[in-house]
Amino acid sequence: MSRTVRCLVIVTALVALTGCGAKNTVKKWVGLDGAAPTDYTGPVYPPTQAVTVAFQPGQVDRACRVFAEALVQFPAKYSGKDMETAVLAEARTRGANQVLIGQTRQSKDDDGLRFLYYGPAHEYTCADQCGGWKFGFDLWEQQGEWVSVGYREWGKAGAVFETPLVMQMAMLHCQ
């Protein structure tokens, strides 16, 4: 067998073998430090009494610092009021003064209410990079259709979502 043919056979075999054993795995439920993202591992602030809500980064004071990034899973049949209650209770517990709500999609899973924490590794000012939503992409990209959750739905008992949802959220500490 000529050297060229032998090299061609080897290259073809390597190309074929690289696709054989590969698994299309997703790092589901793994945070930055390898812990389950349901385990909050960020900065600890004293609980707050009041938390404001923003839907656009421009609505956040420039001095506010993002200290927690999360995807929030809501079960089917949750209302806008239920969502508001759950998010604000979690934010107050963590010491947030404000939350920035990102996009929402239909969830592939209906595992109940869960806060999936993804970081950040270090706090950052909202003025620097708020709204980039670069965390949890491995889970986010697998979700369903886009769902509108804004001022018309947020906090409204009559806005009931028939399917489970996943929402992007950032918690901010403002001084």
Side-chain angles (χ1 to χ4, degrees), residues 13-30:
L14 286 174
V15 168
L17 288 174
T18 57
C20 289
K23 287 166 88 177
N24 187 8
T25 59
V26 175
K27 291 191 251 174
K28 193 172 185 182
W29 320 127
V30 177

Side-chain angles (χ1 to χ4, degrees), residues 56-148:
Q56 298 292 324
Q59 297 171 319
V60 175
D61 186 281
R62 296 183 61 77
C64 294
R65 300 184 64 77
V66 174
F67 70 91
E69 298 169 329
L71 294 178
V72 185
Q73 288 189 312
F74 300 103
K77 307 291 187 197
Y78 245 48
S79 70
K81 182 64 177 168
D82 296 330
M83 294 167 74
E84 177 188 51
T85 300
V87 166
L88 295 183
E90 182 75 2
R92 282 192 301 271
T93 299
R94 303 285 175 219
N97 306 99
Q98 189 168 37
V99 292
L100 176 61
I101 304 298
Q103 298 291 323
T104 304
R105 296 178 77 172
Q106 290 179 354
S107 178
K108 297 287 185 181
D109 298 313
D110 195 354
D111 296 328
L113 176 65
R114 296 200 316 175
F115 289 82
L116 308 170
Y117 288 99
Y118 288 90
H122 303 285
E123 291 184 44
Y124 58 88
T125 61
C126 200
D128 290 338
Q129 63 188 58
C130 236
W133 310 112
K134 296 178 182 167
F135 57 87
F137 190 72
D138 55 338
L139 176 65
W140 184 254
E141 71 179 345
Q142 297 176 23
Q143 302 311 305
E145 297 296 316
W146 297 95
V147 177
S148 176

